Amino acid sequence: MLATPENPITVTHWGIYRPRMVDGALAGMLPIDMDDDPSPIADGMVDALTAEARILRPAVRKSFLEAVRRRQAPSGAMRGREAFVELSWDEALDIAAGELDRVRRVHGNRAIFGSSYGWSSAGRFHHAQSQIHRFLNSIGGYTRSVQNYSFAAGMTIVPHVVGDMGGVVSGHTSWDRIVEKTRTLLMFGGAPLKNAQVSAGGVSRHIVRDALDRAAAAGIEMINVSPIRDDLRLASARHLAIRPGSDTAFMLALAHCLISEGLHDAAFLSTHTTGFERLRAYVLGEGDGIAKSAQWAEPLTGIEAGTIWEIAHKLAATRSMITVAWSLQRADHGEQPYWMAIALAAMLGQIGLPGGGFGFGYGSVNGIGGGDAPIGWPSLPQLRNPVDDFIPVARIVDALLGPGTAYDFNGKRRVYPDIRLVYWAGGNPFHHHQDLNRLRRAWTRPETVIVNESWWNPIARHADIVFPATTALERNDIAASARDRFIAASHRLAEPVGAARDDYDIFGGLASRLGARDAFTEGRDTEAWLRRLYDEARSGASAAGLDLPDFDAFWKQGLVLLPSRQDAMTHDLLDRFRADPVANRLKTPSGRIELFSETIDSFGYDDCP
């Protein structure tokens, strides 16, 4: 087993920390020196290690256990309402393996739904989502989920408009570029510092507060369009308390002002976009008789018509950037503010200019606008899934309540699978799903629910079989983020509490019982996997002209910082496309920004413009 170095570190989604030891025991977490705006969240991890809610041993819901022992069909009616019985690891693993085997034999692997929202660990190996998917693929596959709660509507609409996910998850105009060149920053949803504490895979330095302070010092006018003033915590920022859900109406009114005043960039629209005439007709009300004017928008948005006119003129007269928080898509018609923000930026004609255009997610997590990682990082291979079925992640309730029901998804007609067993690890749907009462009703439908979890939270209490999982402080891992420039050893700082095991060991025990141990483990223990993943990272770095130390030196050193990508720090979203839209055509049907989409129009949806 890997030894813990004299100066260990641990990587979390909210920062990199060193342990604070008191009398030889872990007492707190100290941020690394390079992070001048650290998050205090990590101290809670120490308290959570031995919290009263910690799951100490494998446990099975009482009536479920009785039904299994009597070889009767279990019922989910009492999930969340009754006590659990603690069992030995062997007996609990036997029961879980038996249920997995029964469901795949009787109903097929399509009836197994494996999910994880992946936030339980920042590590590349102990990433619960990768672990559960690899395990289920090793035993014949499963119905998977696609997309996420954070920006699924944006994930769907933006590729139709600009051809890929640029500006949503990567490729953003950098904060450095904004500070240097932008003069008006119109921010729908602001850049909330509470969200900017975290980033998937870890944070070496929190950048958002510093970026906003530099923007204010540079004299940039920042306009926070949000019901919540604290979404942009700067004394100099202007706050427009918009009515929730009316952001698209506000953008349409801005567009109406630009068109009415002749402030839109007709040349850019003609060379770089398609469909403007259709959008123009809608904005002016030529089809429905409703002009989307500032006067029309005032009662909808709560923003005065005069203010809308003022901002439209300011956007057109200065180098302007429009940002939209990921959260705006978590609403009915959530794709519309994304599409309209791109359209508004196109009408201003500043897409691809230094500090101009649009971007999504600034402040939604820490790394947006900080430049992407200089190389791609390896992850645990998940094997091939023989089952080709999936559901959108937020439709778990619809799937459980309506197996066999048809539904529309991105222009396709699909059918919900008949899910009989749910296996969840590294996440908690009762934390992030929209309608909890409806979720609880749906959660009674599966025959079996298995959960790997560290605490008795709602997902654990609504399970049938619960396996106690270790936390990030109780295991060794390697961490690296797509939005940062570090690779780090995440050292184990505490022994596992109670009988807790790593997800890898839990799934390995199940795989052994289901005849798939070799396929799942490939004969490797945790250390062997960490060495393999690091060797892959080292090879990738070498190909990029970067030198990483060997594994043993890396493990002792803990944190390795790679140089910033200078091209990312001076990059503007869609700059190459702006410079030459023919040579650098987008991956849309027209090769241009699609303000009207023939593809979406062909779907026949009555809720799209």
Side-chain angles (χ1 to χ4, degrees), residues 561-601:
L561 290 176
L562 299 180
S564 298
R565 283 180 51 192
Q566 291 305 310
D567 61 326
M569 305 314 290
T570 58
H571 166 75
D572 293 284
L573 180 65
L574 296 179
D575 52 0
R576 296 179 64 218
F577 167 70
R578 180 189 183 86
D580 191 338
V582 176
N584 302 302
R585 59 181 284 124
L586 303 179
K587 297 176 183 178
T588 58
S590 66
R592 299 181 176 191
I593 299 170
E594 305 223 337
L595 307 184
F596 176 85
S597 169
E598 297 286 354
T599 300
I600 293 177
D601 189 48

Side-chain angles (χ1 to χ4, degrees), residues 121-127 130 201 376-380 477-482 533:
S121 171
R124 309 299 288 182
F125 177 66
H126 291 295
H127 179 235
S130 300
W377 300 115
S379 59
L380 180 68
D477 212 332
I478 293 173
S481 171
L533 293 175

